[in-house]
Amino acid sequence: MYKKFLEMSNTHQNGNAERPLYEPKVLQDIDFDGSHCSTYNPEISHTNPGEGLLMRPLCRGDYDRGYIQLLSQLTTVGDIGQEEFDARYSSMEACLDSYYITVVEDTCTGQVIASGTLVKEQKFIHKCSARGRIEDIVVDNKYRGRQLGKLILDVLTIMSKKVGCYKVSLECKDKLVPFYSQFGYKKEDEQNYMCRRYSD
Ligand code: 16G
């Protein structure tokens, strides 16, 4: 299934709606076996996330596959129409090599059922390096317990190093600290997350 997806991306048989947000080779080429932090039982990976499931970059067509509804299981999303979605997608696409939004699709239902974002923020510091930010990790309620959150975290973390980030970070609620600690994330001494919020 994964192979078929790559063939389609390479031969551009998929139109604009199916064009991946980032080069699928970036995902394909991660050294998952040599680098992942978690243990998986049963064994799953980015090329085989489970029966009928496909891990791949986000594409425009995911608007019709429930991507927005999925995100609303994480936080407030609001009513986003196709046009608004397309405009935001285009602006992310224009920031080359910056937005690595990675989804899991249930190919039986044609719905996107899990997602996570790696943002590569370009810097001058650290010799023109980049910082990775892991954002918006969400797994559909009906698909919890299939190790998909773990898999997305491992994959995006490995990817952040591969695309040249000197560090990668994330924000989470207290109760999720043990979960994210599994992947090597820790609170740094004398570093605090501070925030000023303009809306809920
Ligand atoms: C969580 C997410 C963060 C997201 C935020 C939304 C992860 C690791 N963290 O902290 O990326 O932006 O929730 O919450 O997925 P908010 O709507 O209250 O800002």
Side-chain angles (χ1 to χ4, degrees), residues 74-76 115-117 134-138 153 169-173 176 180 193 195 197 199-200:
L74 174 71
T75 187
T76 312
S115 179
T117 298
I134 299 230
E135 296 276 1
D136 305 336
I137 302 293
V138 58
L153 241 294
S169 64
L170 57 81
E171 289 141 26
C172 70
K173 298 212 160 67
L176 287 170
Y180 289 116
Y193 162 66
C195 176
R197 207 171 263 269
S199 70
D200 292 336

Side-chain angles (χ1 to χ4, degrees), residues 14 68-70 77 87 92 103 123 128 147 180 182 197:
N14 45 0
I68 298 299
Q69 291 80 353
L70 174 68
V77 183
M92 286 181 178
V103 299
K123 298 265 190 191
C128 288
Q147 314 178 95
Y180 289 116
Q182 296 174 71
R197 207 171 263 269

Side-chain angles (χ1 to χ4, degrees), residues 116-157:
T117 298
L118 166 67
V119 183
K120 181 181 169 187
E121 184 184 308
Q122 318 251 8
K123 298 265 190 191
F124 286 115
I125 62 170
H126 292 270
K127 265 186 147 262
C128 288
S129 190
R131 172 183 180 163
R133 293 181 188 270
I134 299 230
E135 296 276 1
D136 305 336
I137 302 293
V138 58
V139 177
D140 186 312
N141 288 324
K142 298 191 288 295
Y143 291 81
R144 304 260 163 93
R146 294 206 202 180
Q147 314 178 95
L148 294 172
K150 230 160 67 164
L151 181 62
I152 289 179
L153 241 294
D154 264 334
V155 165
L156 296 182
T157 303

